[in-house]
Amino acid sequence: MMSMTCHTLEFGRTGVDSVACGCSFNASLDRFTVKNRARRVLLSVHRGYGARKLLCCRRNIARCRVYSTKTSEALLNGIVPGPPPPVLEVNKESRSSISITDLFEVVAEDLLTLNNNLQSIVGAENPVLMSAAEQIFGAGGKRMRPALVFLVSRATAEIVGLKELTREHRRLAEIIEMIHTASLIHDDVLDESDMRRGKQTVHQVYGTRVAVLAGDFMFAQSSWYLANLENLEVIKLISQVIKDFASGEIKQASSLFDCEVELEEYLIKSYYKTASLIAASTKGASIFSGVDSDVSEQMYQYGKNLGLSFQVVDDILDFTQSAEQLGKPAGSDLAKGNLTAPVIFALEKEPRLREIIESEFCETSSLDEAIELVKRCGGIERAQALAKEKADLALQSIQCLPRSAFRSALEGMVKYNLERID
């Protein structure tokens, strides 16, 4: 059941080159002062404060059958030559020692600089649209994508003896953050979501028209800065990500309540919607560091498999966490007919689950019954194994990096993700 003969996706994408970001960061500032200020910013964000102060640590800054074109088996399985991947052990003793704030502290200054730059390139020109974007920026989040850009940038820079990040590294993080924010705004419109991380979504506050325009504006801004990099490689890499977002939404909309959906289709959709951007972020960062193509490809594999693992974990949490923890109703994906890994696995064992889903939950309490069946039939446990499989592949991919605080943080991200379901 785990066979992966997937079709479509071009994983050999390479990536990125240059442009000055106009960074206002003063290199002569006392690093101790900046680092501590940055840490306070990180802490305030993860406690839910300072929505307007923080644009840097802002990350989180329907039915026909459609099939994709071509993708190799190695692509989604993440098969690469070399020794078997390291086995990641997660235990309760180590759980309490991992936090996003601690993991990102080694790039806290970079995230603070990102904040300043995003304010200057996004905020002033369109205050109404920026206010709409701030609704999602202020909702909290892990700021994972720009942080990964900085972590990979610094980890790979050590290979070539690069002492400081380039302007291109910083611009890449800004572009990635804008694209991610735009995708979240549009996703909430398409999903008709009322809440994101416990706060009202943009379209609930400003209306659908402004929400769509705000997302379009963020995509347009990121595309303009992308074009100004004047490098065909990076334009192809990031442009494909934007295309993948649309492909993922089409695949999801075309398979709602479809109990014939297979695991490989779910993984392709998850790549399009989540892992593609993370993979482009990590690969692009390594290319700006000037490492060879083999290392860049490993960074791509790291981002891809980390992204897939994150998506599977998020889909598990949709069944195991409360509405308060999720910031949205539990089981909301299933209620909308979006069948994720736990459901796909459970469908193999429980005919009654198929009946309920195909009826589109027309009976009272049928959704609650379906959620219980997913849990009882081992869907959660098998999805946990899938998340761990992808996490192990991500860990294997960063063995090429020299040992450093930045590599440790990249490893910590993999572990942190799995601990969310431990």
Side-chain angles (χ1 to χ4, degrees):
M1 206 49 208
M2 293 289 291
S3 87
M4 303 270 182
T5 18
C6 296
H7 301 287
T8 272
L9 302 177
E10 184 184 320
F11 274 81
R13 307 202 283 253
T14 52
V16 284
D17 225 297
S18 54
V19 78
C21 68
C23 165
S24 60
F25 182 73
N26 188 338
S28 66
L29 282 175
D30 180 76
R31 292 178 66 86
F32 178 83
T33 302
V34 173
K35 185 170 184 178
N36 277 280
R37 181 185 170 198
R39 177 169 173 77
R40 286 197 300 274
V41 171
L42 278 169
L43 286 169
S44 69
V45 171
H46 293 294
R47 290 170 182 159
Y49 306 131
R52 288 191 175 271
K53 289 183 182 177
L54 188 61
L55 237 163
C56 94
C57 295
R58 291 174 168 158
R59 150 202 191 266
N60 298 334
I61 21 171
R63 198 153 4 160
C64 56
R65 195 100 168 135
V66 176
Y67 295 91
S68 43
T69 45
K70 271 195 182 165
T71 287
S72 69
E73 181 174 343
L75 172 67
L76 286 178
N77 282 330
I79 298 171
V80 292
V87 176
L88 179 61
E89 296 296 337
V90 177
N91 55 62
K92 291 184 179 179
E93 289 183 4
S94 63
R95 180 174 184 172
S96 61
S97 65
I98 296 183
S99 74
I100 285 291
T101 302
D102 290 340
L103 289 174
F104 292 172
E105 185 175 6
V106 291
V107 291
E109 294 178 26
D110 298 320
L111 289 170
L112 183 59
T113 303
L114 177 82
N115 176 39
N116 296 332
N117 290 346
L118 282 176
Q119 287 175 337
S120 65
I121 66 178
V122 177
E125 192 174 330
N126 289 274
V128 174
L129 296 181
M130 191 56 223
S131 294
E134 283 201 346
Q135 181 69 13
I136 206 168
F137 284 135
K142 297 176 287 292
R143 285 51 171 166
M144 183 177 77
R145 288 153 188 83
L148 285 172
V149 170
F150 292 133
L151 289 171
V152 172
S153 296
R154 292 196 175 275
T156 53
E158 293 191 352
I159 296 175
V160 296
L162 190 63
K163 299 300 182 184
E164 291 296 334
L165 298 188
T166 65
R167 293 178 179 180
E168 290 77 20
H169 283 125
R170 299 190 185 281
R171 180 60 88 206
L172 175 65
E174 294 155 11
I175 289 170
I176 294 300
E177 183 66 356
M178 286 189 285
I179 289 173
H180 180 60
T181 302
S183 73
L184 294 182
I185 295 172
H186 282 178
D187 280 353
D188 288 338
V189 172
L190 290 170
D191 296 340
E192 299 180 346
S193 300
D194 297 333
M195 304 290 290
R196 178 173 286 277
R197 302 187 194 95
K199 295 189 66 173
Q200 284 186 299
T201 52
V202 173
H203 68 274
Q204 282 293 308
V205 177
Y206 297 94
T208 299
R209 179 183 176 85
V210 171
V212 171
L213 290 173
D216 288 347
F217 171 72
M218 298 291 279
F219 275 129
Q221 280 284 78
S222 63
S223 297
W224 188 85
Y225 283 106
L226 176 62
N228 277 274
L229 291 176
E230 296 183 347
N231 182 280
L232 186 58
E233 192 173 28
V234 67
I235 291 172
K236 286 182 176 180
L237 182 72
I238 306 300
S239 296
Q240 181 66 44
V241 170
I242 298 174
K243 176 185 173 185
D244 288 345
F245 283 150
S247 297
E249 289 297 338
I250 292 169
K251 282 192 68 66
Q252 180 168 300
S254 67
S255 60
L256 295 179
F257 299 101
D258 182 2
C259 293
E260 299 300 324
V261 66
E262 296 182 354
L263 184 64
E264 80 172 62
E265 293 179 83
Y266 162 79
L267 287 172
I268 292 172
K269 182 199 71 176
S270 298
Y271 172 80
Y272 284 152
K273 287 174 64 75
T274 302
S276 176
L277 180 60
I278 299 175
S281 303
T282 51
K283 182 171 185 176
S286 67
I287 291 174
F288 279 132
S289 295
V291 296
D292 63 40
S293 59
D294 290 342
V295 175
S296 290
E297 178 59 26
Q298 291 301 305
M299 295 306 97
Y300 180 85
Q301 293 296 326
Y302 170 81
K304 181 193 72 175
N305 286 298
L306 177 63
L308 290 173
S309 184
F310 253 94
Q311 185 59 59
V312 175
V313 168
D314 281 346
D315 292 338
I316 292 169
L317 295 177
D318 197 43
F319 289 93
T320 61
Q321 287 192 334
S322 65
E324 291 74 19
Q325 290 171 307
L326 290 168
K328 61 179 181 178
S332 59
D333 281 335
L334 180 57
K336 295 171 183 176
N338 179 24
L339 308 190
T340 56
V343 181
I344 293 170
F345 287 128
L347 279 168
E348 296 176 18
K349 294 186 176 180
E350 183 50 72
R352 171 61 180 157
L353 180 59
R354 175 184 291 267
E355 294 174 14
I356 296 172
I357 292 171
E358 290 181 343
S359 74
E360 299 188 12
F361 309 109
C362 61
E363 298 178 8
T364 305
S365 301
S366 58
L367 177 60
D368 292 336
E369 182 184 356
I371 292 172
E372 284 305 311
L373 287 173
V374 170
K375 294 178 180 178
R376 197 166 63 212
C377 295
I380 302 298
E381 290 77 11
R382 290 184 64 187
Q384 288 173 330
L386 176 61
K388 187 176 184 301
E389 174 192 327
K390 297 303 178 185
D392 286 340
L393 290 170
L395 279 181
Q396 180 186 13
S397 297
I398 54 176
Q399 300 309 300
C400 61
L401 297 175
R403 292 200 173 276
S404 67
F406 309 111
R407 172 175 156 177
S408 294
L410 291 169
E411 293 169 341
M413 279 300 303
V414 178
K415 190 173 182 181
Y416 164 82
N417 178 49
L418 292 185
E419 286 186 351
R420 297 193 294 150
I421 53 172
D422 182 35

